Amino acid sequence: MRDVLVVIALLIVAATATAAALARDPVRQAMVLALLGLGLALLFTVLQAPDVALSQLGVGTAMTPLLILLTVRKVKRGGTEQRQQRRRR
């Protein structure tokens, strides 16, 4: 039974990693990375590494996608402000 869970978790990780690599939109990429983090946490749990799974939940599932989304927002906002400043001149 454990082998079946490992295979399922590996398939989830492989599918979400491929989807993350193929995604073009950074926002969509961040969401898929969050799913990848969940899949990895599941895999680590099945492989009896709960400490690594908890770290993965905190960093890979929550913090990394959040930082990517905040960065994308800041970059888009910065581009808008620069265009407005050019128009004022």
Side-chain angles (χ1 to χ4, degrees), residues 40-50 53-54:
L40 284 170
L42 173 69
L43 178 63
F44 293 141
T45 303
V46 170
L47 293 175
Q48 297 178 353
L54 285 173

Side-chain angles (χ1 to χ4, degrees), residues 29-31 33-35 59-70:
Q29 229 172 17
M31 294 301 137
L33 279 175
L35 292 175
V59 176
T61 304
M63 293 306 295
T64 302
L66 177 65
L67 289 174
I68 291 171
L69 290 173
L70 290 174

Side-chain angles (χ1 to χ4, degrees), residues 2-50:
R2 182 174 180 264
D3 293 336
V4 173
L5 291 175
V6 170
V7 169
I8 290 171
L10 283 172
L11 288 174
I12 291 170
V13 169
T16 53
T18 303
L22 295 176
R24 294 276 189 198
D25 182 32
V27 175
R28 181 171 290 151
Q29 229 172 17
M31 294 301 137
V32 176
L33 279 175
L35 292 175
L36 176 60
L38 283 173
L40 284 170
L42 173 69
L43 178 63
F44 293 141
T45 303
V46 170
L47 293 175
Q48 297 178 353

